[in-house]
Amino acid sequence: VHPGWPARVGPLRVRAGRVTLRPIRLRDAGVWSRLRIENREHLEPWEPTGQASWADRHHVTAWPGLCSSLRAEARRGRMLPMAIDVDGSFRGQITVGNIVRGALFSAWIGYWVDQAVSGQGVATAALALGLDHSFGPMGLHRVEATVRPENVASRAVLQHVGFREEGLLRRYLDVDGKWRDHVLVAMTVEEVPGSVSDRLVRAGRASWA
Ligand code: ACO
């Protein structure tokens, strides 16, 4: 058993509705597949290149294997694969990965949100909840994220929750068919007096739902 898994996190209220995080589950298959296929143009420029076609990788039958392997990693304490729900409906995912303990206590965080609810604070709220869960129940010391310099929406999200830029990683990740530069951002627990959610609420970007 690992601290912080499984768990429900939130809620925080934003313009789109009530944002909560919860473990991904097998019955997300239908909505996951539909949203991933509908959002292809929105997602593909920013996500790691896959082997099979977009349609095959996001077919409803791809979910059980993916979901089970992510949940197995969660049980081993190496990942935190969460669904982002808005008013109780699946709208995206937020994942904490490469959780390393020992002298690091560190991980990366990444996310995507359905374009139908974009620009309404969902990713910002989900990220704040994910960070508070990582620094709180999971006891991590450092969380990092990498983002393409061109991804203005995601960079805005990272900035809203207080990430600090650490540098530019050249040709870091195979995204959309090419090795792409990424900006590395990070936060350590010392930079979070109180909680990230609390800071978001005080900045007027969310409210306690
Ligand atoms: N130019 C400038 N700012 C922009 C633009 C733009 N073209 N588009 C959006 N923004 C701003 C918005 O105005 C908003 O800031 P504001 O609240 O100050 O107005 C901010 O970007 C978006 O904030 P949210 O509404 O909280 O984010 P949203 O729920 O729309 O989700 C996300 C953003 C996750 C980037 C979504 O668009 C998405 O899923 N994109 C595709 C996948 C992706 O890029 N994932 C992130 C990869 S990097 C990583 O995981 C660390």
Side-chain angles (χ1 to χ4, degrees):
V1 176
H2 287 280
W5 178 266
R8 294 183 154 271
V9 190
L12 271 181
R13 180 169 291 282
V14 294
R15 275 162 291 156
R18 223 164 148 262
V19 177
T20 49
L21 311 183
R22 49 123 184 125
I24 55 166
R25 57 194 180 211
L26 285 171
R27 64 182 183 279
D28 293 323
V31 61
W32 169 82
S33 172
R34 180 175 61 76
L35 291 185
R36 293 288 302 181
I37 288 170
E38 280 175 12
N39 278 275
R40 178 178 178 169
E41 285 179 24
H42 177 55
L43 301 171
E44 209 169 22
W46 318 116
E47 295 201 352
T49 306
Q51 297 297 321
S53 72
W54 189 268
D56 284 350
R57 282 192 284 136
H58 297 101
H59 193 268
V60 67
T61 56
W63 180 253
L66 180 61
C67 180
S68 305
S69 64
L70 290 170
R71 290 188 62 112
E73 286 295 282
R75 282 193 298 277
R76 294 183 193 110
R78 294 202 285 251
M79 287 192 105
L80 188 76
M82 305 290 265
I84 303 171
D85 280 349
V86 180
D87 291 334
S89 301
F90 181 101
R91 290 295 197 167
Q93 287 172 263
I94 186 158
T95 308
V96 181
N98 196 27
I99 299 170
V100 183
R101 295 187 173 73
L104 273 171
F105 269 88
S106 134
W108 55 252
I109 197 162
Y111 43 80
W112 68 270
V113 167
D114 178 14
Q115 192 170 21
V117 292
S118 73
Q120 300 176 61
V122 175
T124 301
L127 187 55
L129 293 171
L131 287 167
D132 286 336
H133 194 65
S134 299
F135 291 128
M138 291 167 66
L140 297 183
H141 174 250
R142 179 178 188 274
V143 178
E144 66 176 37
T146 56
V147 61
R148 291 186 63 185
E150 301 86 353
N151 194 346
V152 280
S154 185
R155 291 183 75 178
V157 169
L158 294 164
Q159 207 191 348
H160 292 335
V161 298
F163 269 105
R164 168 176 47 72
E165 281 193 19
E166 293 195 330
L168 184 67
L169 307 173
R170 300 277 182 191
R171 297 172 292 283
Y172 175 66
L173 198 61
D174 182 1
V175 167
D176 201 17
K178 288 204 175 81
W179 294 106
R180 310 284 187 176
D181 293 353
H182 279 70
V183 177
L184 173 66
V185 301
M187 194 186 296
T188 67
V189 71
E190 292 86 349
E191 293 167 78
V192 189
S195 78
V196 181
S197 300
D198 194 44
R199 209 153 63 186
L200 216 57
V201 169
R202 278 188 280 115
R205 293 199 165 272
S207 57
W208 302 112

